[in-house]
Amino acid sequence: MDNSRKKENANKKFLTLVKKLVKSKTGIVGLIIILTVFLMAVFAPIIAPYDPNKINTAHMLQPPFWISGGDLSHILGTDNLGRDILSRIIYGSRISIIVGLLSVLVGGLIGVVFGLIAGYYGGIADSIIMRLVDSFLAIPTTLFCIVFLTVLNPGLFTLIFVIGITNWVMYASLVRSQTLSIREREYVKAARTMGVSNFKIITRHILPNVFSSVIVISTLSVAGTIITESSLSFLGLGIQPPAISWGIMLSEGREYLATSWWLSTFPGIAITLTVLGIIFLGEWLRDVLDPRSRGMKS
């Protein structure tokens, strides 16, 4: 009976979320954009019309099909090496998805663990962790990444790690503040009185109550991570060729802005739309999952 009731409650919650999503125009738009980018990344070999790294000197700097000199064989044109822009944008979505999700995962895990420890135990542990938070907040994220990537060898996993460890502070601060409040509630005090271990109290009573806020901030953080990755790749410190990144495409096209604007414009549009989609979806999640935002609207 208990399992059936849990399933019914879960189904009701899911249907409620779907109804709220349908009512939210920005949420729908964000979901469509994110699903499109995700499908592009997963099915890139099937969707992309050409090999994104194939050089074709006969079609160098060919404009998009609607401009004189362009044709439908290369819908968005080609770059200075004759490579198809559309195919490179499709494959570039893979880097954005991988770096965005894994960097947030790294930062989220570190931040949540430190935030729970600082908020629940307090004392010396709290002081040390919060001084670390203050130290990281004092250094601009991009500058921190540039310094580390200059010392280390630039690459995909290095980039994920560096961006991840710069993002953990916002998770730690959020989780700590909520944990400080939750640990004083009656059911947590009752669990302590009954001799429940600290680990079980944290994982069973505190973590589930902060999880919704972590999901919201993680969703919004993906957008910032994509921008950071593109910026670092644009500077030559992120993803390295022959890997394909929207930031690399922007960097390669900046020398041709006056004559071949499409080299940088279309990757820039891809970044902008993806970030907007994530922000729209994150705003919807915040309205649905964050009790404080619900209270402010009601």
Side-chain angles (χ1 to χ4, degrees), residues 77-202:
T78 61
D79 63 9
N80 57 313
L81 296 176
R83 297 172 296 189
D84 184 63
I85 296 294
L86 177 60
S87 299
R88 291 179 65 77
I89 288 176
I90 292 173
Y91 272 87
S93 63
R94 289 182 159 187
I95 294 296
S96 295
I97 293 296
I98 291 172
V99 174
L101 293 180
L102 293 185
S103 296
V104 167
L105 181 62
V106 171
L109 287 175
I110 296 173
V112 169
V113 171
F114 280 0
L116 289 171
I117 293 172
Y120 184 79
Y121 291 101
I124 297 176
D126 184 27
S127 299
I128 294 173
I129 291 173
M130 293 316 295
R131 296 299 76 74
L132 281 173
V133 169
D134 293 338
S135 300
F136 272 81
L137 289 175
I139 306 173
T141 300
T142 304
L143 179 60
F144 183 91
C145 292
I146 289 174
V147 171
F148 265 77
L149 290 171
T150 302
V151 176
L152 303 173
N153 292 325
L156 177 60
F157 293 105
T158 304
L159 185 64
I160 291 171
F161 173 75
V162 171
I163 296 178
I165 62 174
T166 61
N167 287 335
W168 71 272
V169 292
M170 58 182 176
Y171 295 96
S173 299
L174 173 69
V175 172
R176 172 186 176 272
S177 64
Q178 293 192 350
T179 302
L180 286 171
S181 173
I182 295 171
R183 74 176 184 179
E184 301 300 326
R185 294 180 182 175
E186 294 300 325
Y187 60 86
V188 175
K189 292 181 178 179
R192 285 202 204 97
T193 304
M194 295 173 62
V196 179
S197 66
N198 290 328
F199 179 78
K200 287 185 177 180
I201 291 175
I202 291 173

Side-chain angles (χ1 to χ4, degrees), residues 8-50:
E8 288 180 4
N9 291 332
N11 290 333
K12 288 180 180 178
K13 289 181 179 179
F14 178 75
L15 290 175
T16 301
L17 290 176
V18 172
K19 289 179 181 178
K20 290 182 178 180
L21 177 60
V22 172
K23 292 180 181 179
S24 172
K25 294 180 180 179
T26 55
I28 288 289
V29 171
L31 182 62
I32 292 173
I33 293 174
I34 298 308
L35 285 177
T36 302
V37 175
F38 182 78
L39 291 174
M40 280 171 51
V42 173
F43 299 105
I46 300 174
I47 299 173
Y50 298 95

Side-chain angles (χ1 to χ4, degrees), residues 188-225:
V188 175
K189 292 181 178 179
R192 285 202 204 97
T193 304
M194 295 173 62
V196 179
S197 66
N198 290 328
F199 179 78
K200 287 185 177 180
I201 291 175
I202 291 173
T203 55
R204 293 183 181 180
H205 297 292
I206 296 180
L207 183 58
N209 284 288
V210 304
F211 191 70
S212 60
S213 297
V214 172
I215 291 295
V216 173
I217 196 174
S218 297
T219 304
L220 295 172
S221 180
V222 173
T225 300

